[in-house]
Amino acid sequence: MGIGSKSVGLGVACLVVCGTAVVVPRFVARSEPGKGIGSTTVPGVTMSAPAVGAPGYPCQGFSGIEKKVPLPALMDDTFAWGNTAPYKVGNGAGDIKWDADPYQNLSWHLWLHSLRWLGNGVHAMKAGDVKATERVLAIVKDWVRDNPFSWKSNTSASESTMHRTNVLICVRQSLLTHLKARELPPKYKWLDEALMTHARYLVDNWSGAHNHGTDQSIALLGVGCTYGRSDLMKIAAGRLNKAVKTAIDEEGSTNEQAVGYADFNYRLWGRAADRLRDCGVDPGPAIEKRRQALGEWLATATTATGYLHQIGNTGYSKLPNVPGTPMEFVATQGKKGKKPRLRTAIYKAGYVFGRTGWGEQRPFAEESTYSLRFGVARRWHGHQDHTAITYNWKGHDILIDPGYGGHQAEERQEWAKGPAAHNQLTIPTATAKSPVTKLVGSMSTSNSDYFEFSDQPADGVDRTRDVLVLKDPDLVIALDRAVSGRDQRYETLWHLAPGQKVDVQSPTTAVAGKPGDAVRTHLFHIPIGADSGTTTVEEGVKKPPQGWFFKDIFTVLPAPVVKFTHTGQSARILSVIVPAKAAEQVSYTTRPAGANVVLDLVVGAQRVSIKITPEGRLTRLN
């Protein structure tokens, strides 16, 4: 196995609405001044769409948000988003209450201000619908009138600027088509002025090298392209070429700390390059080179069934099929595309993605896969998940991440980001912090991968985790060691998939499985010398939250968590996670071997022995 007027605070969320990925931008962390764009009307600049046949910026669509607002609802000034009921936000004539927030939902309020919900009206405008045209223009004009520049006192308005900019471009294009015109009549001068005002905001408030800043740059490019403003296009192109080298490193890791956002960024940077070309701007080599590396990274960050490992703010979703890439290889289970270079990949940004193979010696879907986290402290869309493991055994989710819960003010969403929501050693009696975690060492053979990590996950606590992942039999072994200057409660947590029933058979053994399923997961809590503890299960606990799984931000399910608990100033917790067919016998014994301990495991007809050194090193012996 080779290693190769309303103010709300928002974080970024990759959401799924009507099957379409959309983004709630994070609060702008910093401002980078750009070149001023002058007044909203510029002498000598034609305020019209590019000539027919010339490069142009196409309407970017509405990210699926419009599907919740059919044309009759729009004509009634009714807005809907996510799983909330439709809500009438206006007076029925396009006068909108922009401070409406009936569900106290940050995302709902932001998408109201994005204007993406006008999509069906914009389509109807382009098709010649006079009433839809009047209503869309009335709502847009109402937003402009009720939200004076620079709208920074309203975070939803400011944070959605780049999305709203793209909607205004779509409105302008559809209006020109509706009027059968090349230039807007003077009565619509306000729309051009609104777009130039949005461009001013985007110039002066670039939020930097991450997905929010990339979206801003694309929208700014769109305004420049629409009006033939080479200065705006130059700013946008410069920012994009600068940002891509920070947003995606040379190994393909993004700076978002979330696999879901890596997937989003792959598509986002593809869109950036396409829009640059549409507007007659050479995107240069950097974007495509980094994006290719990201595509390979994403292919390694998947299970054997093609789902993404849920690290950071990541929903339960499959990797898209991109023809001719390693992503296609995963999506087609090895039938097409380019096989990724590494079976087990370590990325310096803090990720390990490994598997038993790429379908060379057994069917692709029957490989086992895993992920591990280390690296710099939590930021952007990351979670406090360092040293945590996810594990998929031959297509079955065994050790899961609880997923991403969105931005509603509810305790479970915050829990999903914290240490107790991940498969790691936690110290609930100490103050948790976001650690910098070192990968101390690693070793790979044809049938095992070994890793050692160390950090300080809580005040006054040193933690080390040694992990051994085996092939034939496929299983996971983790040795957690921790030491503190005072007594603590140490809990190694194992989050299992929803629907599992857990039978705690003894302080050292628990067995989990779905009723009637042919697979069982054996969780062994193996004593090392006199160091022993307890084994318990929690599921669907609300206060404090524990035992949940977010399939998406709207769907949360109870899911069992097995806890191996020790108390004292120090602890050594040896965990062995063994998935097996229900009919197979699974057992273990331990024996001394000089200063070492040998763990003998039996999984059906397979036997394997593991040497455990006093320093915690785990080595497969056969």
Side-chain angles (χ1 to χ4, degrees), residues 266 288 291-293 295-296 299 319-332 334-341:
Y266 183 86
E288 186 56 32
R291 190 166 175 261
Q292 286 180 358
E296 174 110 0
L319 183 72
N321 186 340
V322 181
T325 71
M327 299 165 73
E328 181 184 32
F329 188 86
V330 171
T332 63
K335 297 180 178 66
K336 295 181 180 179
K338 182 181 178 182
K339 186 175 78 172
R341 294 178 299 107

Side-chain angles (χ1 to χ4, degrees), residues 47-111:
M47 304 288 270
S48 63
V52 175
Y57 184 87
C59 174
Q60 297 298 283
F62 309 97
S63 293
I65 291 178
E66 80 281 9
K67 294 179 182 180
K68 290 283 185 174
V69 188
L71 188 58
L74 174 60
M75 298 301 292
D76 191 44
D77 292 349
T78 296
F79 172 62
W81 176 81
N83 63 347
T84 58
Y87 183 82
K88 188 167 183 176
V89 292
N91 67 349
D95 185 1
I96 306 300
K97 297 178 181 178
W98 297 105
D99 61 350
D101 191 6
Y103 303 108
Q104 297 298 298
N105 185 305
L106 304 180
S107 299
W108 187 98
H109 191 254
L110 183 141
W111 291 120

Side-chain angles (χ1 to χ4, degrees), residues 203-525:
V203 166
D204 292 336
N205 295 277
W206 184 47
S207 58
H210 54 88
N211 70 84
H212 191 262
T214 305
D215 257 325
Q216 287 177 325
S217 297
I218 294 171
L220 180 62
L221 174 76
V223 179
C225 190
T226 296
Y227 294 109
R229 289 288 299 267
S230 59
D231 56 336
L232 300 183
M233 290 193 286
K234 184 177 180 180
I235 293 171
R239 287 177 177 176
L240 287 168
N241 276 282
K242 174 183 178 181
V244 71
K245 296 178 182 179
T246 299
I248 308 171
D249 71 18
E250 66 276 9
E251 292 183 330
S253 301
T254 72
N255 61 350
E256 306 283 357
Q257 290 195 343
V259 172
Y261 270 87
D263 175 32
F264 174 75
N265 269 275
Y266 183 86
R267 289 173 280 123
L268 179 65
W269 281 101
R271 184 160 63 91
D274 288 344
R275 296 297 81 81
L276 286 166
R277 284 187 284 263
D278 288 339
C279 295
V281 180
D282 182 1
I287 292 177
E288 186 56 32
K289 184 176 180 180
R290 296 295 172 107
R291 190 166 175 261
Q292 286 180 358
L294 174 55
E296 174 110 0
W297 188 98
L298 281 165
T300 67
T302 56
T303 70
T305 52
Y307 281 84
L308 296 168
H309 286 288
Q310 286 185 266
I311 296 174
N313 290 350
T314 301
Y316 190 70
S317 59
K318 278 195 170 185
L319 183 72
N321 186 340
V322 181
T325 71
M327 299 165 73
E328 181 184 32
F329 188 86
V330 171
T332 63
Q333 296 199 329
K335 297 180 178 66
K336 295 181 180 179
K338 182 181 178 182
K339 186 175 78 172
R341 294 178 299 107
L342 299 174
R343 183 193 55 75
T344 302
I346 300 174
Y347 295 99
K348 65 183 180 182
Y351 305 89
V352 179
F353 299 118
R355 59 183 61 228
T356 52
W358 291 105
E360 300 97 337
Q361 298 175 352
R362 54 168 103 163
F364 188 98
E366 292 184 14
E367 302 285 8
S368 296
T369 61
Y370 66 92
S371 74
L372 290 158
R373 279 283 284 128
F374 65 100
V376 300
R378 175 182 179 254
R379 61 179 303 189
W380 303 141
H381 310 298
H383 293 176
Q384 289 181 254
D385 57 3
H386 285 190
T387 76
I389 307 168
T390 65
Y391 187 62
N392 181 282
W393 181 82
K394 301 180 180 181
H396 299 268
D397 286 326
I398 303 300
L399 301 177
I400 67 166
D401 183 287
Y404 171 51
H407 289 290
Q408 298 183 50
E410 203 262 347
E411 286 186 69
R412 287 179 298 189
Q413 277 87 358
E414 288 304 310
W415 161 84
K417 303 172 189 176
H422 302 92
N423 299 308
Q424 61 182 326
L425 172 71
T426 64
I427 307 94
T429 50
T431 302
K433 60 183 180 181
S434 181
V436 174
T437 304
K438 295 180 180 179
L439 174 59
V440 178
S442 63
M443 176 67 71
S444 187
T445 70
S446 62
N447 58 9
S448 68
D449 290 334
Y450 167 77
F451 308 93
E452 180 185 356
F453 305 94
S454 69
D455 60 16
Q456 293 181 318
D459 288 345
V461 180
D462 292 318
R463 174 177 69 172
T464 301
R465 166 165 274 191
D466 296 81
V467 177
L468 186 66
V469 185
L470 301 188
K471 173 183 178 181
D472 296 327
D474 298 3
L475 56 87
V476 176
I477 303 171
L479 176 58
D480 292 310
R481 292 170 289 154
V483 62
S484 173
R486 62 184 183 88
D487 285 352
Q488 305 284 3
R489 187 168 79 253
Y490 302 99
E491 296 180 348
T492 292
L493 307 178
W494 300 113
H495 293 258
L496 307 178
Q500 303 280 305
K501 301 298 182 183
V502 181
D503 177 20
V504 178
Q505 298 178 347
S506 73
T508 62
T509 303
V511 180
K514 293 182 179 180
D517 200 349
V519 174
R520 296 286 184 269
T521 300
H522 303 258
L523 300 100
F524 295 127
H525 178 187

Side-chain angles (χ1 to χ4, degrees), residues 72-150:
L74 174 60
M75 298 301 292
D76 191 44
D77 292 349
T78 296
F79 172 62
W81 176 81
N83 63 347
T84 58
Y87 183 82
K88 188 167 183 176
V89 292
N91 67 349
D95 185 1
I96 306 300
K97 297 178 181 178
W98 297 105
D99 61 350
D101 191 6
Y103 303 108
Q104 297 298 298
N105 185 305
L106 304 180
S107 299
W108 187 98
H109 191 254
L110 183 141
W111 291 120
L112 175 70
H113 279 265
S114 76
L115 300 185
R116 281 182 167 178
W117 55 285
L118 303 183
N120 285 311
V122 178
H123 293 318
M125 175 193 298
K126 187 174 183 178
D129 188 320
V130 175
K131 290 185 177 180
T133 299
E134 292 174 348
R135 180 52 51 85
V136 168
L137 292 175
I139 293 174
V140 172
K141 196 169 188 177
D142 185 69
W143 190 94
V144 173
R145 181 175 56 249
D146 291 353
N147 296 276
F149 185 79
S150 68

